[in-house]
Amino acid sequence: MNLPTAITLLRLAGIPFILLGLSWGSPRGERLAFWAFLLAAATDWLDGYLARRYGLVTDVGKFLDPLVDKLLVLAPLLSLLELGRIPAWGVFLIVGRELAIAGWRVNQTHIRGANLWGKAKTVTQILAIALLIPGWPMGIPCFWLAVVLTLLSGLMYLRNDHTEPDPISRLDKESTSA
């Protein structure tokens, strides 16, 4: 257990506050959900920065971080779906992609970090949810952009997994063969 991993787990602890706030169905609840979500989302950047900056990247962190990211995104999306703010089929596409990639990753011998497509997907999902919680008008277009990027990032992940060797594995092989 290191600091970035502890911060990842702290992000997980923010989810009940988001769900609680959305369940209140009031402006006060929306504010609680909004700020809890933004605080939790900000820790995603922080734990990644600390892990890379101080050489604290671990396989546990590479597994937990995307899992907690998925929970942080899916929990409010399901609540927003329940509130009738977003369509079920858009949420289904996001959930389907996340389950498919998570299932794919479980069978891999080496856990890879997120690529640029995955990072763009996560940022767009976070932005969409932050706009949807208070019901701001740009939330819906941003939600659909997040759906598109979610599907594209899944396709790119699967495509790159077959066509490009993992950069870390490639470096390990190059250093042992030199």
Side-chain angles (χ1 to χ4, degrees):
M1 174 70 72
N2 60 28
L3 182 59
T5 303
I7 292 171
T8 298
L9 294 175
L10 181 63
R11 181 164 63 256
L12 184 63
I15 294 172
F17 295 100
I18 298 163
L19 296 176
L20 179 65
L22 286 169
S23 73
W24 287 350
S26 68
R28 174 179 265 171
E30 286 178 354
R31 283 192 300 275
L32 171 63
F34 178 78
W35 289 111
F37 181 75
L38 286 184
L39 180 62
T43 68
D44 184 29
W45 173 84
L46 180 62
D47 65 9
Y49 170 77
L50 292 173
R52 287 184 299 277
R53 174 80 167 97
Y54 295 104
L56 299 171
V57 175
T58 64
D59 279 344
V60 170
K62 285 193 276 185
F63 172 78
L64 273 181
D65 185 65
L67 175 63
V68 173
D69 287 348
K70 286 169 188 27
L71 294 173
L72 180 64
V73 166
L74 295 178
L77 283 179
L78 292 173
S79 288
L80 292 164
L81 172 61
E82 181 181 30
L83 294 171
R85 295 189 190 177
I86 51 177
W89 71 275
V91 176
F92 174 79
L93 291 173
I94 291 174
V95 170
R97 180 272 189 205
E98 298 299 352
L99 289 174
I101 297 302
W104 179 262
R105 293 180 97 199
V106 165
N107 293 315
Q108 302 305 301
T109 57
H110 180 75
I111 299 172
R112 294 184 343 185
N115 63 19
L116 183 61
W117 286 97
K119 291 176 191 232
K121 169 210 55 124
T122 300
V123 167
T124 308
Q125 288 174 343
I126 288 169
L127 178 61
I129 292 166
L131 294 170
L132 287 165
I133 288 173
W136 292 340
M138 285 304 297
I140 291 296
C142 194
F143 169 73
W144 289 116
L145 177 60
V147 169
V148 169
L149 284 177
T150 298
L151 296 174
L152 283 174
S153 71
L155 291 171
M156 295 306 290
Y157 184 88
L158 294 174
R159 182 180 156 264
N160 288 341
D161 198 57
H162 290 297
T163 60
E164 295 177 14
D166 178 31
I168 292 174
S169 298
R170 189 178 65 234
L171 289 175
D172 288 342
K173 288 177 187 172
E174 289 172 2
S175 66
T176 57
S177 65

